[in-house]
Amino acid sequence: MTDSTVAAIATPPGKGGIAVVRISGPQAYRVASAVFRPADPKKSLEKAKGYTALFGHFILDGAVADEVVALCFRAPRSYTGEDVVELSCHGGSAVSELLLRACLCAGAQPAGPGEFTKRAFLSGRISLTQAEAVMDLIGATGRQAAAAAAASMEGALYKKIEGVRAKLVALAGHLAAFIDYPEEDVPDLSAKALAATVRECLDAMETLIAGYGTGEMLRRGVRTAIVGSPNVGKSTLMNLLAGFERAIVTPVAGTTRDVVETELSLGGVRLHLADTAGIRQTSDVVEAEGIRRSYAQLERAGLVLAVFDASRKTQPEDEDLARRCAGRPALAILNKSDLAKNFDETRIAPYFSKIISISAKDVDFLPVVENAVSEILGTAHADPDALLLANERQLTAARRAADALADALAVLDGGYTLDAAGVCVDDALEALYELTGESASADVIDNVFANFCVGK
C-alpha cells in the first residue's frame, strides 16, 4: 500500500472559498509538480522543504486553469507519515475535479474512504482509537461530543488503555517468571498483591465502560419528544428551542395533527426533536391517528419534554401523561408562567425527577430549559476524558478485557493456581491490544476505515 501514491478532494463538495486536493505517497511531489507551476520560476516544488507554501498556478493542457497554493509536508512529519502535498484552488466542483483528474493522469491513484487516515495508522503515527476519533470529530454535532472526540484524537483513550496494559504486562511477566522458572530467585507474588493490581485495572476498565452511554448520546444525539395536551404550548416550546418558527402556533386546539421534527443543539447535546399532536379524547379519525403517533414518539424517546398548562387546573389526562413518563428521562415543563398559576404540580411530581416553570414565549427562559435538560441527561458536568469509548468495536473489546479481569479475580478468590489467573490476564491483554489496533485483524481495520469519508 505504501508503494502507491493516492489523491482525493479533501474538502466537501459544493461552492466554497477554497477546495483542497490532497496527494500522499512516495511520488506525491512528482505528481504535484506535473500540474503545479510556481509563480516564481526560481522555485521548485519537488525541492521544497516540509512545512512550506508555494504560490503558483494549476496548469491544464499547457494553459493556466486556476491560481493554486501548494502546501508541502515531508515524511515522516506529515499527517500520513508519507510525503504529502495539498493543492488549494478556488472552491467549486469544476476546478477541483479538473485538478484531481490531472493528478490522477499524472500517476496518482484515487484514494479510498479514510485512506489518508489509514496510512497514518499503518505508519504508526496514530493508534486505531485515534483514527476512529478523527471521524467522530468530523461528525460531532455538539460541543461536548467534539470535546470528547478531540481528547481521544489527542491520544487520551490510548494513554488510559496503555496505563492499564502496562500494569498487566508487568504482572504477566512476573507470573510467567514465577511459574516457569521456580528455581530462579524470582520475588514471591502473593494472591493478595495480584488481586489488588487486577482490581485496579478492572476499576479503570469499568469506568470507561460506564461512560460509554453518555458518550454515545453526545455523539449521536438524543431522540426527544415534546408531549402534552392541546394548547399547552408544545409548538411554542419547539419554536423557542429551534430559534425560529418551525411549528405552526394557533389558539385552535388540535392545530398540530402530525409529528413535526427538527434537529438542534441544546446544552452541547444534539436533540432530534419531535413536536407531537395534542393528547386528548377525540372522535376525529385524523386527530386520533396523530395522537397514536404522539404516544409512539413518547415510547421511542430517549428524552421526554412533557408540557403542562400552569394556568389551568390539573386534569386527569395530565396525571395519565405523567404516569406514562415514569421511569424515563423526562422533564416536566409548566408553561405559561406569565399567567396566574392554577396547576397542582404535586399530582405529577412523583413521576418526574425535575419540574420547571417557564413561559415558552419568552426567550429568557431558554437557559432554564437548557440547564434542566443537561441535568436530566447527566451531561451538565460530563468529563470528555471519561467518555472516550467511541463505538461498539471499542466497547466490545473493553468488555472482553473487563470480563477477563473479573475472571482473574474469581480465580484468585477461589484459591486456584496463579497459572489460571495468568491465563485470564493474558486474555485481558489480548482484548486491549485489539482495542488499540495493535493486534487487530485486517478485516477489523478495513471495516473501521470503510466508514470514513473520501479525502480524510
Side-chain angles (χ1 to χ4, degrees):
M1 176 179 172
T2 54
D3 291 336
S4 63
T5 296
V6 295
I9 299 172
T11 42
K15 297 179 180 180
I18 62 170
V20 176
V21 174
R22 177 181 288 161
I23 312 165
S24 180
Q27 300 300 317
Y29 281 82
R30 185 190 63 77
V31 169
S33 294
V35 300
F36 175 81
R37 296 288 183 275
D40 185 349
K42 296 178 182 179
K43 295 183 178 180
S44 168
L45 178 59
E46 289 197 77
K47 296 179 181 179
K49 296 180 179 180
Y51 302 124
T52 60
L54 295 177
F55 172 73
H57 299 90
F58 163 33
I59 304 299
L60 182 64
D61 297 330
V64 173
D66 191 15
E67 294 179 337
V68 168
V69 173
L71 297 179
C72 306
F73 305 89
R74 292 288 183 177
R77 294 185 174 90
S78 70
Y79 179 69
T80 62
E82 305 173 319
D83 282 346
V84 172
V85 179
E86 293 184 354
L87 301 175
S88 300
C89 61
H90 285 97
S93 58
V95 176
S96 58
E97 288 174 4
L98 283 173
L99 180 55
L100 174 61
R101 192 178 309 159
C103 292
L104 300 180
C105 290
Q109 299 177 15
E115 187 160 350
F116 296 108
T117 305
K118 186 176 183 180
R119 290 184 176 220
F121 165 67
L122 294 175
S123 70
R125 283 201 67 256
I126 59 175
S127 67
L128 192 58
T129 53
Q130 287 175 292
E132 289 173 307
V134 170
M135 202 60 201
D136 281 337
L137 186 59
I138 292 172
T141 56
R143 170 177 45 81
Q144 289 176 299
S152 191
M153 193 173 70
E154 290 298 314
L157 176 58
Y158 184 84
K159 291 173 184 175
K160 284 180 181 289
I161 298 302
E162 179 59 25
V164 173
R165 196 169 60 193
K167 292 184 176 70
L168 294 179
V169 167
L171 196 60
H174 196 159
L175 278 169
F178 183 77
I179 294 167
D180 296 340
Y181 303 99
E183 71 280 2
E184 299 293 335
D185 188 20
V186 178
D188 192 11
L189 183 64
S190 69
K192 183 178 180 181
L194 176 59
T197 301
V198 172
R199 166 51 63 188
E200 183 181 353
C201 294
L202 178 58
D203 288 345
M205 296 310 301
E206 287 180 339
T207 298
L208 280 173
I209 293 168
Y212 178 77
T214 302
E216 178 72 1
M217 177 176 61
L218 291 175
R219 283 184 292 272
R220 312 301 175 206
V222 185
R223 181 186 287 273
T224 306
I226 302 177
V227 296
S229 301
N231 273 4
V232 295
K234 299 185 302 299
S235 296
T236 305
L237 175 64
M238 183 178 207
N239 292 341
L240 172 70
L241 300 180
F244 64 97
E245 292 189 9
R246 179 65 182 83
I248 298 173
V249 178
T250 76
V252 180
T255 297
T256 302
R257 294 199 168 200
D258 201 354
V259 177
V260 179
E261 296 182 302
T262 192
E263 290 194 5
L264 53 91
S265 182
L266 190 70
V269 181
R270 195 70 178 171
L271 301 185
H272 307 290
L273 197 63
D275 176 24
T276 64
I279 297 173
R280 65 175 179 178
Q281 294 294 326
T282 181
S283 58
D284 186 297
V285 176
V286 176
E287 187 178 3
E289 174 60 20
I291 294 170
R292 185 194 68 78
R293 296 185 183 187
S294 297
Y295 284 129
Q297 288 287 337
L298 187 153
E299 292 297 323
R300 293 197 298 266
L303 171 66
V304 178
L305 304 181
V307 186
F308 303 93
D309 186 345
S311 67
R312 73 179 188 186
K313 292 183 178 180
T314 310
Q315 303 296 315
E317 56 263 33
D318 295 326
E319 295 181 79
D320 179 63
L321 174 60
R323 279 189 291 269
R324 288 176 181 265
C325 294
R328 301 176 181 277
L331 171 65
I333 300 175
L334 306 185
N335 189 31
K336 305 183 182 180
S337 62
D338 52 317
L339 303 177
K341 183 177 179 181
N342 291 297
F343 195 87
D344 181 6
E345 63 187 75
T346 61
R347 292 167 61 179
I348 65 167
Y351 309 106
F352 296 96
S353 60
K354 191 167 186 64
I355 300 175
I356 60 173
S357 296
I358 70 165
S359 171
K361 296 187 296 182
D362 188 346
V363 71
D364 288 342
F365 283 98
L366 181 58
V368 176
V369 181
E370 183 175 338
N371 293 336
V373 166
S374 296
E375 185 178 330
I376 293 290
L377 295 178
T379 61
H381 305 289
D383 178 7
D385 284 351
L387 311 172
L388 294 174
L389 293 178
N391 51 50
E392 287 292 338
R393 185 197 72 80
Q394 294 179 8
L395 178 64
T396 299
R399 282 176 171 164
R400 280 178 46 216
D403 289 344
L405 292 172
D407 290 343
L409 285 177
V411 165
L412 294 169
D413 289 342
Y416 295 97
T417 64
L418 294 181
D419 195 12
V423 171
C424 297
V425 170
D426 288 342
D427 289 343
L429 279 170
E430 182 182 349
L432 294 181
Y433 279 119
E434 183 175 316
L435 197 161
T436 58
E438 287 155 288
S439 68
S441 68
D443 288 341
V444 169
I445 292 170
D446 287 342
N447 184 63
V448 167
F449 291 102
N451 298 318
F452 273 61
C453 55
V454 173
K456 188 55 183 173

